[in-house]
Amino acid sequence: MRATTIHAPFDMRVEEVPDAKLQEPTDVVVRVVLACICGSDLWAYRGESQRQPGQRIGHEFLGVVEEAGSGVSGFAPGDLVVAPFVWSDGTCAYCAEGLQTSCPQGGFWGSPGSDGGQGQAVRVPFAEGTLVKLPADAASDERLLTALLALSDVLGTGHHAAVGAGVTAGSTVAVVGDGAVGLCGVLAAKRLGAERIIALGRHQVRTDIARTFGATDVVAVRGEEAVAAVRELTGGHGAQAVIEAVGTEQSMRTAVGITRDGGAIGYVGVPHGSGTGLDLGVMFDRNIALRGGVAPVRSYIPELLPDVLDGTIDPSPVFDLTVGLEDVPRGYRAMDERTALKVLVRP
């Protein structure tokens, strides 16, 4: 089969690789119908996170079950399914707590020895604990299918940030980052009843989507200017709930600076490039809570799925460029050059 591999910084290739096949009775093989490129994939693309030459890549996909192992009873060939970005056994204490990302038997798609989502097919370990079945008729609805793909990562990650930030009905929320996760954070905050949502971003195409998703205000500056602007919008106090969806030291400093005393930051930006870190004394003195981390999206899919199916929320606008599998390297270039927000892949 064909799949995307990474060989060195900026060296993405689509190559022949061994076919995905069953290895354990609890496996299924999924033919990928839709996949996408994540902002976090760019850290490997740019050489900021290490990968082995030839390693697979891609962790967001949905598709159709082609083959099911003898130990799988909940899925059958022909089922349309979405995969969270981490597989998990569904039976351990962490899975029972809804923290599938800490499952001792779990793992990330594209890790050494596993299939990546940016390919024609994927072997899914622990299918019963990992996959979520989708309505079969969704396969014929292009917009809905694209929206459902967001359940594999960005929508659940934005929701995780909103939950970590303590977004409640009537609250004021600020979102640091205008990437796909930040935009989904806006969508999640709106869904949870936020009254005011301040989106921080400098790219009008993206902040226009933020407004569509529910942002009431846009701050198009960075650093201290952004802190001053948010504080001016909030009577000098800052936002009760802040979503940090970038992962740099500067973005986290901005998040702390715009948080109201007694408020909380939900952080989901994959940390990279931090040099001196944060001053915990500032957070201590102002009673600022910090919650978040890698999102256990498997636990959120059952909650979010009905709202995507009935159109209450529609994350599909975050996908603004579509490529075929052979053009995935072009998709990486487009996201790296910021000419695309999030690239949809149709294998």
Side-chain angles (χ1 to χ4, degrees):
M1 69 177 191
R2 305 284 287 174
T4 307
T5 57
I6 181 168
H7 292 261
F10 307 103
D11 184 2
M12 311 298 297
R13 306 176 193 176
V14 179
E15 301 179 307
E16 294 288 329
V17 299
D19 288 342
K21 59 181 62 177
L22 302 177
Q23 296 181 17
E24 302 290 340
T26 51
D27 292 349
V28 303
V29 172
V30 171
R31 174 176 54 82
V32 177
V33 172
L34 285 182
C36 56
I37 301 172
C38 181
S40 64
D41 291 333
L42 295 181
W43 307 131
Y45 179 70
R46 295 166 179 161
E48 296 182 38
S49 61
Q50 295 299 311
R51 295 291 189 275
Q52 298 176 4
Q55 189 173 330
R56 311 284 182 83
I57 195 166
H59 55 263
E60 300 162 280
F61 65 94
L62 58 73
V64 175
V65 175
E66 292 284 286
E67 189 177 5
S70 60
V72 176
S73 60
F75 299 99
D79 286 343
L80 183 67
V81 293
V82 62
F85 65 84
V86 171
W87 72 77
S88 54
D89 63 20
T91 61
C92 71
Y94 286 113
C95 288
E97 294 167 11
L99 195 63
Q100 290 89 344
T101 49
S102 291
C103 176
Q105 296 196 87
F108 290 79
W109 312 113
S111 56
S114 73
D115 294 318
Q118 293 164 20
Q120 291 181 310
V122 176
R123 178 183 76 90
V124 178
F126 303 109
E128 302 268 8
T130 301
L131 298 173
V132 176
K133 191 180 297 186
L134 302 173
D137 57 2
S140 61
D141 186 330
E142 294 281 334
R143 183 210 57 79
L144 177 58
L145 201 64
T146 302
L148 290 168
L149 176 63
L151 290 167
S152 66
D153 185 349
V154 285
L155 181 58
T157 297
H159 178 72
H160 185 56
V163 170
V167 177
T168 57
S171 59
T172 295
V173 182
V175 180
V176 181
D178 58 4
V181 170
L183 294 175
C184 285
V186 172
L187 196 62
K190 179 68 173 179
R191 176 180 175 274
L192 292 172
E195 182 176 328
R196 190 174 193 185
I197 303 172
I198 304 167
L200 281 71
R202 298 184 299 166
H203 305 86
Q204 186 176 343
V205 171
R206 300 181 181 197
T207 54
D208 284 349
I209 296 174
R211 288 189 185 277
T212 301
F213 282 0
T216 55
D217 305 89
V218 169
V219 170
V221 290
R222 298 177 71 180
E224 292 302 317
E225 286 185 276
V227 173
V230 173
R231 288 194 168 273
E232 183 177 355
L233 287 169
T234 56
H237 299 295
Q240 297 162 310
V242 174
I243 290 172
E244 193 287 313
V246 181
T248 63
E249 184 177 320
Q250 181 189 54
S251 64
M252 188 62 82
R253 288 186 182 278
T254 298
V256 172
I258 64 177
T259 303
R260 183 183 187 275
D261 287 16
I265 300 168
Y267 73 108
V268 293
V270 178
H272 57 280
S274 296
T276 59
L278 292 171
D279 185 349
L280 292 179
V282 172
M283 299 178 68
F284 181 87
D285 290 343
R286 296 176 51 213
N287 281 283
I288 293 174
L290 183 65
R291 294 185 293 265
V294 58
V297 298
R298 177 61 181 82
S299 67
Y300 297 134
I301 292 176
E303 175 184 351
L304 298 171
L305 177 57
D307 283 358
V308 176
L309 290 173
D310 68 15
T312 300
I313 52 176
D314 178 14
S316 64
V318 302
F319 299 97
D320 60 347
L321 175 64
T322 300
V323 299
L325 183 60
E326 300 300 324
D327 278 336
V328 167
R330 178 169 67 87
Y332 273 87
R333 289 194 298 273
M335 285 182 62
D336 183 50
E337 295 168 358
R338 287 186 173 272
T339 58
L341 169 59
K342 190 168 180 67
V343 175
L344 189 70
V345 180
R346 295 186 181 277

